[in-house]
Amino acid sequence: MEETFGQRLLSLRKDKGVGQIQLAKELNVGKSIISLWEKDACEPTLSKLIAISQFFGVSIDFLAGVEF
């Protein structure tokens, strides 16, 4: 079974030792947004996806689960 965006985000956040509140501050969003993303209840905008990829040092393709 393929990992979802929310699962990848949660894993990255925990691996880096960052809490939802800290990540929310880094991305200039509310903590509830991080929670919704991790639950796959909604998805980030392109600009937030770029910010997430830069913060964690991963590609947008990785975040989106795209493999070539």
Short mmCIF file of all heavy atoms in Angstrom, two decimals:
data_model
loop_
_atom_site.label_atom_id
_atom_site.label_comp_id
_atom_site.label_asym_id
_atom_site.label_seq_id
_atom_site.Cartn_x
_atom_site.Cartn_y
_atom_site.Cartn_z
N MET A 1 0.84 -1.19 0.00
CA MET A 1 0.00 0.00 0.00
C MET A 1 0.88 1.25 0.00
O MET A 1 1.85 1.35 0.75
CB MET A 1 -0.90 -0.01 1.24
CG MET A 1 -1.90 1.08 1.26
SD MET A 1 -3.11 0.72 2.55
CE MET A 1 -3.50 2.36 3.02
N GLU A 2 0.54 2.18 -0.85
CA GLU A 2 1.34 3.39 -1.00
C GLU A 2 1.07 4.37 0.13
O GLU A 2 -0.06 4.54 0.58
CB GLU A 2 1.01 4.05 -2.34
CG GLU A 2 1.96 5.15 -2.70
CD GLU A 2 1.73 5.67 -4.10
OE1 GLU A 2 1.56 4.85 -5.01
OE2 GLU A 2 1.72 6.90 -4.27
N GLU A 3 2.13 5.00 0.58
CA GLU A 3 2.04 5.98 1.65
C GLU A 3 1.36 7.26 1.14
O GLU A 3 1.62 7.70 0.02
CB GLU A 3 3.47 6.30 2.12
CG GLU A 3 3.57 6.92 3.46
CD GLU A 3 5.02 7.10 3.89
OE1 GLU A 3 5.87 7.41 3.04
OE2 GLU A 3 5.28 6.92 5.07
N THR A 4 0.52 7.87 1.95
CA THR A 4 -0.17 9.09 1.57
C THR A 4 0.70 10.30 1.87
O THR A 4 1.70 10.21 2.60
CB THR A 4 -1.49 9.25 2.32
OG1 THR A 4 -1.20 9.45 3.71
CG2 THR A 4 -2.39 8.04 2.14
N PHE A 5 0.29 11.46 1.36
CA PHE A 5 0.99 12.71 1.66
C PHE A 5 1.04 12.93 3.17
O PHE A 5 2.08 13.25 3.73
CB PHE A 5 0.31 13.91 0.98
CG PHE A 5 0.82 15.21 1.51
CD1 PHE A 5 2.04 15.71 1.11
CD2 PHE A 5 0.09 15.93 2.45
CE1 PHE A 5 2.54 16.90 1.64
CE2 PHE A 5 0.56 17.12 2.97
CZ PHE A 5 1.79 17.61 2.56
N GLY A 6 -0.10 12.74 3.82
CA GLY A 6 -0.17 12.95 5.27
C GLY A 6 0.78 12.05 6.04
O GLY A 6 1.42 12.49 6.99
N GLN A 7 0.88 10.81 5.62
CA GLN A 7 1.78 9.87 6.29
C GLN A 7 3.24 10.27 6.08
O GLN A 7 4.06 10.19 7.00
CB GLN A 7 1.56 8.45 5.76
CG GLN A 7 0.22 7.87 6.19
CD GLN A 7 -0.14 6.59 5.44
OE1 GLN A 7 0.28 6.38 4.30
NE2 GLN A 7 -0.92 5.74 6.08
N ARG A 8 3.57 10.73 4.87
CA ARG A 8 4.94 11.19 4.60
C ARG A 8 5.27 12.43 5.43
O ARG A 8 6.35 12.54 5.99
CB ARG A 8 5.14 11.46 3.10
CG ARG A 8 5.33 10.20 2.28
CD ARG A 8 5.68 10.50 0.83
NE ARG A 8 4.57 11.12 0.11
CZ ARG A 8 3.54 10.45 -0.38
NH1 ARG A 8 3.48 9.14 -0.26
NH2 ARG A 8 2.57 11.06 -1.02
N LEU A 9 4.31 13.36 5.50
CA LEU A 9 4.54 14.58 6.27
C LEU A 9 4.74 14.26 7.75
O LEU A 9 5.67 14.77 8.38
CB LEU A 9 3.36 15.54 6.09
CG LEU A 9 3.45 16.86 6.86
CD1 LEU A 9 4.68 17.66 6.43
CD2 LEU A 9 2.18 17.68 6.67
N LEU A 10 3.90 13.42 8.30
CA LEU A 10 4.01 13.02 9.70
C LEU A 10 5.37 12.37 9.97
O LEU A 10 6.04 12.67 10.95
CB LEU A 10 2.88 12.07 10.07
CG LEU A 10 2.90 11.50 11.49
CD1 LEU A 10 2.78 12.60 12.53
CD2 LEU A 10 1.77 10.48 11.66
N SER A 11 5.77 11.48 9.09
CA SER A 11 7.05 10.79 9.23
C SER A 11 8.22 11.78 9.19
O SER A 11 9.13 11.71 10.02
CB SER A 11 7.19 9.74 8.13
OG SER A 11 8.42 9.08 8.23
N LEU A 12 8.19 12.69 8.23
CA LEU A 12 9.25 13.69 8.12
C LEU A 12 9.31 14.56 9.38
O LEU A 12 10.39 14.84 9.90
CB LEU A 12 9.02 14.59 6.90
CG LEU A 12 9.30 14.00 5.54
CD1 LEU A 12 8.75 14.90 4.44
CD2 LEU A 12 10.79 13.77 5.34
N ARG A 13 8.15 14.97 9.85
CA ARG A 13 8.08 15.83 11.02
C ARG A 13 8.64 15.13 12.25
O ARG A 13 9.45 15.69 12.99
CB ARG A 13 6.63 16.28 11.25
CG ARG A 13 6.48 17.28 12.38
CD ARG A 13 5.06 17.78 12.51
NE ARG A 13 4.09 16.75 12.81
CZ ARG A 13 3.94 16.16 14.00
NH1 ARG A 13 4.72 16.48 15.01
NH2 ARG A 13 3.01 15.24 14.18
N LYS A 14 8.25 13.88 12.46
CA LYS A 14 8.72 13.13 13.61
C LYS A 14 10.21 12.82 13.50
O LYS A 14 10.94 12.89 14.49
CB LYS A 14 7.91 11.85 13.79
CG LYS A 14 6.50 12.15 14.29
CD LYS A 14 5.78 10.91 14.70
CE LYS A 14 4.47 11.29 15.37
NZ LYS A 14 3.83 10.15 15.99
N ASP A 15 10.68 12.47 12.29
CA ASP A 15 12.10 12.19 12.09
C ASP A 15 12.96 13.40 12.42
O ASP A 15 14.09 13.26 12.90
CB ASP A 15 12.38 11.73 10.66
CG ASP A 15 11.89 10.33 10.37
OD1 ASP A 15 11.51 9.61 11.32
OD2 ASP A 15 11.86 9.95 9.17
N LYS A 16 12.44 14.59 12.13
CA LYS A 16 13.18 15.82 12.38
C LYS A 16 12.97 16.31 13.82
O LYS A 16 13.64 17.25 14.26
CB LYS A 16 12.78 16.89 11.37
CG LYS A 16 13.69 18.09 11.34
CD LYS A 16 13.47 18.93 10.11
CE LYS A 16 14.48 20.09 10.10
NZ LYS A 16 14.53 20.77 8.84
N GLY A 17 12.05 15.69 14.54
CA GLY A 17 11.80 16.09 15.93
C GLY A 17 11.09 17.42 16.05
O GLY A 17 11.33 18.18 16.98
N VAL A 18 10.21 17.69 15.10
CA VAL A 18 9.48 18.96 15.06
C VAL A 18 8.02 18.71 15.44
O VAL A 18 7.39 17.79 14.92
CB VAL A 18 9.55 19.56 13.62
CG1 VAL A 18 8.74 20.84 13.52
CG2 VAL A 18 10.99 19.81 13.22
N GLY A 19 7.49 19.53 16.32
CA GLY A 19 6.09 19.42 16.69
C GLY A 19 5.19 20.13 15.69
O GLY A 19 5.66 20.91 14.85
N GLN A 20 3.90 19.84 15.77
CA GLN A 20 2.96 20.48 14.85
C GLN A 20 2.97 22.00 15.00
O GLN A 20 2.88 22.71 14.00
CB GLN A 20 1.55 19.94 15.08
CG GLN A 20 1.33 18.55 14.56
CD GLN A 20 -0.12 18.10 14.70
OE1 GLN A 20 -0.89 18.64 15.48
NE2 GLN A 20 -0.48 17.08 13.93
N ILE A 21 3.07 22.48 16.22
CA ILE A 21 3.06 23.94 16.44
C ILE A 21 4.29 24.58 15.81
O ILE A 21 4.18 25.61 15.13
CB ILE A 21 2.98 24.26 17.95
CG1 ILE A 21 1.62 23.81 18.50
CG2 ILE A 21 3.21 25.74 18.21
CD1 ILE A 21 1.49 23.88 20.01
N GLN A 22 5.46 23.97 16.00
CA GLN A 22 6.68 24.52 15.41
C GLN A 22 6.60 24.53 13.89
O GLN A 22 6.96 25.51 13.24
CB GLN A 22 7.90 23.73 15.88
CG GLN A 22 9.21 24.30 15.36
CD GLN A 22 10.42 23.48 15.78
OE1 GLN A 22 10.32 22.55 16.57
NE2 GLN A 22 11.57 23.82 15.23
N LEU A 23 6.13 23.43 13.31
CA LEU A 23 6.01 23.36 11.85
C LEU A 23 5.01 24.39 11.35
O LEU A 23 5.25 25.05 10.34
CB LEU A 23 5.60 21.95 11.40
CG LEU A 23 5.49 21.74 9.90
CD1 LEU A 23 6.80 22.06 9.18
CD2 LEU A 23 5.05 20.31 9.58
N ALA A 24 3.91 24.54 12.05
CA ALA A 24 2.91 25.53 11.67
C ALA A 24 3.51 26.93 11.64
O ALA A 24 3.26 27.71 10.70
CB ALA A 24 1.72 25.47 12.62
N LYS A 25 4.32 27.25 12.64
CA LYS A 25 4.98 28.56 12.68
C LYS A 25 5.94 28.73 11.51
O LYS A 25 5.99 29.80 10.89
CB LYS A 25 5.70 28.76 14.00
CG LYS A 25 4.77 29.00 15.17
CD LYS A 25 5.54 29.18 16.47
CE LYS A 25 4.57 29.36 17.64
NZ LYS A 25 5.27 29.46 18.93
N GLU A 26 6.70 27.68 11.22
CA GLU A 26 7.66 27.73 10.10
C GLU A 26 6.96 27.98 8.76
O GLU A 26 7.50 28.65 7.89
CB GLU A 26 8.45 26.43 10.02
CG GLU A 26 9.43 26.20 11.14
CD GLU A 26 10.66 27.08 11.05
OE1 GLU A 26 11.02 27.55 9.95
OE2 GLU A 26 11.28 27.30 12.11
N LEU A 27 5.76 27.39 8.63
CA LEU A 27 5.03 27.48 7.35
C LEU A 27 3.98 28.59 7.35
O LEU A 27 3.29 28.78 6.35
CB LEU A 27 4.37 26.13 7.06
CG LEU A 27 5.31 24.94 6.92
CD1 LEU A 27 4.51 23.66 6.74
CD2 LEU A 27 6.29 25.14 5.77
N ASN A 28 3.87 29.30 8.47
CA ASN A 28 2.91 30.39 8.60
C ASN A 28 1.47 29.93 8.37
O ASN A 28 0.71 30.53 7.62
CB ASN A 28 3.28 31.56 7.67
CG ASN A 28 2.62 32.85 8.09
OD1 ASN A 28 2.34 33.06 9.27
ND2 ASN A 28 2.35 33.71 7.13
N VAL A 29 1.12 28.83 9.03
CA VAL A 29 -0.25 28.31 9.01
C VAL A 29 -0.64 27.96 10.45
O VAL A 29 0.21 27.93 11.33
CB VAL A 29 -0.40 27.05 8.11
CG1 VAL A 29 -0.07 27.35 6.67
CG2 VAL A 29 0.46 25.89 8.63
N GLY A 30 -1.90 27.68 10.67
CA GLY A 30 -2.35 27.27 11.99
C GLY A 30 -2.01 25.81 12.26
O GLY A 30 -1.87 25.01 11.33
N LYS A 31 -1.89 25.46 13.54
CA LYS A 31 -1.59 24.07 13.92
C LYS A 31 -2.64 23.12 13.38
O LYS A 31 -2.34 21.99 12.99
CB LYS A 31 -1.51 23.96 15.45
CG LYS A 31 -1.30 22.54 15.94
CD LYS A 31 -1.57 22.43 17.43
CE LYS A 31 -1.63 21.00 17.89
NZ LYS A 31 -2.79 20.26 17.44
N SER A 32 -3.90 23.57 13.34
CA SER A 32 -4.97 22.70 12.87
C SER A 32 -4.77 22.32 11.40
O SER A 32 -5.17 21.23 10.98
CB SER A 32 -6.34 23.37 13.05
OG SER A 32 -6.41 24.57 12.31
N ILE A 33 -4.13 23.19 10.63
CA ILE A 33 -3.86 22.88 9.22
C ILE A 33 -2.87 21.72 9.12
O ILE A 33 -3.05 20.81 8.31
CB ILE A 33 -3.33 24.12 8.47
CG1 ILE A 33 -4.41 25.20 8.39
CG2 ILE A 33 -2.82 23.75 7.07
CD1 ILE A 33 -5.65 24.81 7.61
N ILE A 34 -1.84 21.75 9.95
CA ILE A 34 -0.86 20.65 9.95
C ILE A 34 -1.57 19.34 10.28
O ILE A 34 -1.36 18.32 9.62
CB ILE A 34 0.28 20.91 10.97
CG1 ILE A 34 1.00 22.24 10.70
CG2 ILE A 34 1.26 19.73 10.99
CD1 ILE A 34 1.67 22.35 9.36
N SER A 35 -2.43 19.38 11.27
CA SER A 35 -3.20 18.19 11.66
C SER A 35 -4.07 17.69 10.51
O SER A 35 -4.12 16.49 10.23
CB SER A 35 -4.06 18.51 12.89
OG SER A 35 -4.82 17.39 13.25
N LEU A 36 -4.74 18.60 9.83
CA LEU A 36 -5.60 18.21 8.70
C LEU A 36 -4.77 17.60 7.57
O LEU A 36 -5.19 16.63 6.94
CB LEU A 36 -6.39 19.42 8.19
CG LEU A 36 -7.50 19.92 9.09
CD1 LEU A 36 -8.05 21.26 8.59
CD2 LEU A 36 -8.62 18.89 9.19
N TRP A 37 -3.60 18.18 7.30
CA TRP A 37 -2.72 17.62 6.27
C TRP A 37 -2.29 16.22 6.64
O TRP A 37 -2.31 15.31 5.80
CB TRP A 37 -1.48 18.49 6.07
CG TRP A 37 -1.71 19.82 5.41
CD1 TRP A 37 -2.82 20.23 4.70
CD2 TRP A 37 -0.82 20.92 5.39
NE1 TRP A 37 -2.66 21.51 4.26
CE2 TRP A 37 -1.42 21.96 4.67
CE3 TRP A 37 0.44 21.14 5.93
CZ2 TRP A 37 -0.81 23.19 4.45
CZ3 TRP A 37 1.05 22.37 5.72
CH2 TRP A 37 0.43 23.38 4.98
N GLU A 38 -1.90 16.03 7.90
CA GLU A 38 -1.42 14.72 8.33
C GLU A 38 -2.52 13.67 8.34
O GLU A 38 -2.25 12.48 8.21
CB GLU A 38 -0.76 14.83 9.71
CG GLU A 38 0.57 15.57 9.66
CD GLU A 38 1.26 15.68 11.00
OE1 GLU A 38 0.70 15.28 12.03
OE2 GLU A 38 2.41 16.19 11.01
N LYS A 39 -3.75 14.10 8.48
CA LYS A 39 -4.90 13.18 8.44
C LYS A 39 -5.43 13.01 7.02
O LYS A 39 -6.43 12.31 6.80
CB LYS A 39 -6.02 13.71 9.33
CG LYS A 39 -5.68 13.70 10.80
CD LYS A 39 -6.81 14.32 11.61
CE LYS A 39 -6.45 14.38 13.07
NZ LYS A 39 -7.49 15.07 13.87
N ASP A 40 -4.79 13.65 6.06
CA ASP A 40 -5.22 13.63 4.66
C ASP A 40 -6.64 14.16 4.48
O ASP A 40 -7.36 13.75 3.58
CB ASP A 40 -5.09 12.21 4.06
CG ASP A 40 -3.63 11.81 3.91
OD1 ASP A 40 -2.87 12.55 3.26
OD2 ASP A 40 -3.25 10.76 4.47
N ALA A 41 -7.03 15.09 5.36
CA ALA A 41 -8.35 15.71 5.26
C ALA A 41 -8.35 16.83 4.23
O ALA A 41 -9.40 17.19 3.70
CB ALA A 41 -8.79 16.24 6.62
N CYS A 42 -7.17 17.40 3.96
CA CYS A 42 -7.01 18.41 2.91
C CYS A 42 -5.54 18.41 2.50
O CYS A 42 -4.72 17.75 3.13
CB CYS A 42 -7.47 19.79 3.37
SG CYS A 42 -6.50 20.51 4.69
N GLU A 43 -5.25 19.13 1.44
CA GLU A 43 -3.89 19.17 0.92
C GLU A 43 -3.38 20.60 0.86
O GLU A 43 -4.17 21.54 0.70
CB GLU A 43 -3.85 18.56 -0.49
CG GLU A 43 -4.22 17.09 -0.50
CD GLU A 43 -4.26 16.50 -1.89
OE1 GLU A 43 -4.30 17.26 -2.88
OE2 GLU A 43 -4.24 15.26 -1.99
N PRO A 44 -2.07 20.77 0.99
CA PRO A 44 -1.51 22.13 0.95
C PRO A 44 -1.56 22.73 -0.46
O PRO A 44 -1.60 22.00 -1.45
CB PRO A 44 -0.07 21.93 1.40
CG PRO A 44 0.25 20.52 1.07
CD PRO A 44 -1.04 19.76 1.21
N THR A 45 -1.52 24.05 -0.50
CA THR A 45 -1.40 24.74 -1.78
C THR A 45 0.00 24.51 -2.33
O THR A 45 0.89 24.04 -1.60
CB THR A 45 -1.62 26.26 -1.61
OG1 THR A 45 -0.59 26.77 -0.74
CG2 THR A 45 -3.00 26.57 -1.04
N LEU A 46 0.21 24.85 -3.57
CA LEU A 46 1.53 24.68 -4.19
C LEU A 46 2.59 25.47 -3.43
O LEU A 46 3.68 24.96 -3.18
CB LEU A 46 1.49 25.09 -5.66
CG LEU A 46 2.81 24.96 -6.42
CD1 LEU A 46 3.33 23.54 -6.37
CD2 LEU A 46 2.63 25.43 -7.85
N SER A 47 2.27 26.69 -3.04
CA SER A 47 3.28 27.50 -2.33
C SER A 47 3.64 26.87 -0.99
O SER A 47 4.80 26.89 -0.58
CB SER A 47 2.78 28.94 -2.14
OG SER A 47 1.62 28.97 -1.35
N LYS A 48 2.67 26.28 -0.30
CA LYS A 48 2.96 25.60 0.98
C LYS A 48 3.71 24.30 0.73
O LYS A 48 4.58 23.91 1.51
CB LYS A 48 1.68 25.34 1.77
CG LYS A 48 1.01 26.60 2.26
CD LYS A 48 1.91 27.43 3.15
CE LYS A 48 1.22 28.70 3.60
NZ LYS A 48 2.12 29.66 4.22
N LEU A 49 3.39 23.61 -0.35
CA LEU A 49 4.10 22.38 -0.71
C LEU A 49 5.58 22.68 -0.96
O LEU A 49 6.47 21.95 -0.51
CB LEU A 49 3.46 21.75 -1.95
CG LEU A 49 3.76 20.30 -2.23
CD1 LEU A 49 3.31 19.41 -1.08
CD2 LEU A 49 3.07 19.87 -3.52
N ILE A 50 5.85 23.79 -1.63
CA ILE A 50 7.23 24.22 -1.87
C ILE A 50 7.92 24.51 -0.54
O ILE A 50 9.05 24.09 -0.31
CB ILE A 50 7.27 25.44 -2.82
CG1 ILE A 50 6.82 25.03 -4.22
CG2 ILE A 50 8.67 26.06 -2.84
CD1 ILE A 50 6.54 26.20 -5.15
N ALA A 51 7.23 25.22 0.34
CA ALA A 51 7.80 25.55 1.65
C ALA A 51 8.09 24.29 2.46
O ALA A 51 9.12 24.20 3.13
CB ALA A 51 6.86 26.48 2.41
N ILE A 52 7.19 23.32 2.41
CA ILE A 52 7.39 22.05 3.12
C ILE A 52 8.62 21.34 2.57
O ILE A 52 9.46 20.84 3.32
CB ILE A 52 6.14 21.15 3.01
CG1 ILE A 52 4.96 21.78 3.76
CG2 ILE A 52 6.43 19.75 3.55
CD1 ILE A 52 3.61 21.14 3.42
N SER A 53 8.74 21.28 1.25
CA SER A 53 9.87 20.59 0.63
C SER A 53 11.19 21.27 1.00
O SER A 53 12.19 20.59 1.26
CB SER A 53 9.71 20.48 -0.89
OG SER A 53 9.91 21.73 -1.51
N GLN A 54 11.20 22.59 1.05
CA GLN A 54 12.41 23.31 1.42
C GLN A 54 12.75 23.10 2.90
O GLN A 54 13.91 22.91 3.25
CB GLN A 54 12.25 24.81 1.12
CG GLN A 54 12.23 25.11 -0.36
CD GLN A 54 11.90 26.56 -0.67
OE1 GLN A 54 11.25 27.24 0.09
NE2 GLN A 54 12.34 27.00 -1.84
N PHE A 55 11.74 23.13 3.76
CA PHE A 55 11.96 22.95 5.19
C PHE A 55 12.57 21.59 5.50
O PHE A 55 13.50 21.47 6.30
CB PHE A 55 10.66 23.15 5.97
CG PHE A 55 10.81 22.98 7.45
CD1 PHE A 55 11.35 23.98 8.23
CD2 PHE A 55 10.42 21.80 8.07
CE1 PHE A 55 11.51 23.83 9.61
CE2 PHE A 55 10.55 21.63 9.45
CZ PHE A 55 11.11 22.65 10.22
N PHE A 56 12.05 20.54 4.85
CA PHE A 56 12.52 19.19 5.13
C PHE A 56 13.64 18.73 4.20
O PHE A 56 14.22 17.66 4.40
CB PHE A 56 11.36 18.20 5.06
CG PHE A 56 10.40 18.32 6.22
CD1 PHE A 56 9.12 18.79 6.02
CD2 PHE A 56 10.78 17.97 7.51
CE1 PHE A 56 8.23 18.91 7.08
CE2 PHE A 56 9.90 18.08 8.58
CZ PHE A 56 8.62 18.56 8.36
N GLY A 57 13.94 19.52 3.17
CA GLY A 57 15.01 19.14 2.25
C GLY A 57 14.67 17.94 1.39
O GLY A 57 15.54 17.09 1.14
N VAL A 58 13.41 17.86 0.98
CA VAL A 58 12.96 16.77 0.11
C VAL A 58 12.30 17.36 -1.13
O VAL A 58 11.94 18.54 -1.15
CB VAL A 58 11.97 15.82 0.83
CG1 VAL A 58 12.64 15.14 2.02
CG2 VAL A 58 10.72 16.55 1.27
N SER A 59 12.14 16.55 -2.14
CA SER A 59 11.52 17.04 -3.38
C SER A 59 9.99 17.06 -3.26
O SER A 59 9.41 16.33 -2.44
CB SER A 59 11.93 16.16 -4.56
OG SER A 59 11.31 14.89 -4.45
N ILE A 60 9.40 17.88 -4.08
CA ILE A 60 7.94 17.90 -4.15
C ILE A 60 7.44 16.55 -4.67
O ILE A 60 6.40 16.06 -4.24
CB ILE A 60 7.44 19.07 -5.03
CG1 ILE A 60 7.75 20.39 -4.32
CG2 ILE A 60 5.95 18.96 -5.32
CD1 ILE A 60 7.44 21.62 -5.13
N ASP A 61 8.19 15.93 -5.57
CA ASP A 61 7.83 14.60 -6.07
C ASP A 61 7.74 13.61 -4.92
O ASP A 61 6.81 12.81 -4.85
CB ASP A 61 8.86 14.10 -7.09
CG ASP A 61 8.76 14.79 -8.43
OD1 ASP A 61 7.75 15.48 -8.69
OD2 ASP A 61 9.69 14.65 -9.23
N PHE A 62 8.70 13.66 -4.00
CA PHE A 62 8.66 12.77 -2.84
C PHE A 62 7.40 13.03 -2.02
O PHE A 62 6.69 12.09 -1.63
CB PHE A 62 9.90 12.94 -1.97
CG PHE A 62 9.79 12.22 -0.66
CD1 PHE A 62 9.98 10.85 -0.58
CD2 PHE A 62 9.43 12.89 0.51
CE1 PHE A 62 9.85 10.17 0.62
CE2 PHE A 62 9.28 12.23 1.71
CZ PHE A 62 9.50 10.86 1.78
N LEU A 63 7.13 14.30 -1.73
CA LEU A 63 5.95 14.64 -0.93
C LEU A 63 4.66 14.15 -1.60
O LEU A 63 3.74 13.69 -0.93
CB LEU A 63 5.87 16.14 -0.69
CG LEU A 63 6.94 16.74 0.23
CD1 LEU A 63 6.86 18.25 0.22
CD2 LEU A 63 6.79 16.18 1.65
N ALA A 64 4.62 14.26 -2.91
CA ALA A 64 3.42 13.88 -3.66
C ALA A 64 3.35 12.38 -3.91
O ALA A 64 2.33 11.87 -4.37
CB ALA A 64 3.37 14.62 -5.00
N GLY A 65 4.44 11.67 -3.63
CA GLY A 65 4.44 10.23 -3.84
C GLY A 65 4.62 9.84 -5.30
O GLY A 65 4.25 8.76 -5.71
N VAL A 66 5.26 10.73 -6.06
CA VAL A 66 5.48 10.48 -7.49
C VAL A 66 6.82 9.77 -7.65
O VAL A 66 7.84 10.23 -7.15
CB VAL A 66 5.49 11.79 -8.29
CG1 VAL A 66 5.82 11.53 -9.76
CG2 VAL A 66 4.17 12.52 -8.15
N GLU A 67 6.80 8.66 -8.35
CA GLU A 67 8.03 7.93 -8.65
C GLU A 67 8.17 7.79 -10.15
O GLU A 67 7.20 7.52 -10.85
CB GLU A 67 7.98 6.54 -8.01
CG GLU A 67 7.94 6.58 -6.50
CD GLU A 67 7.92 5.17 -5.90
OE1 GLU A 67 8.47 4.26 -6.54
OE2 GLU A 67 7.33 5.02 -4.82
N PHE A 68 9.40 7.98 -10.62
CA PHE A 68 9.66 7.85 -12.06
C PHE A 68 10.49 6.63 -12.33
O PHE A 68 11.24 6.16 -11.57
CB PHE A 68 10.39 9.09 -12.60
CG PHE A 68 9.55 10.32 -12.55
CD1 PHE A 68 9.71 11.26 -11.55
CD2 PHE A 68 8.58 10.54 -13.51
CE1 PHE A 68 8.94 12.40 -11.50
CE2 PHE A 68 7.80 11.68 -13.47
CZ PHE A 68 7.99 12.62 -12.47
#
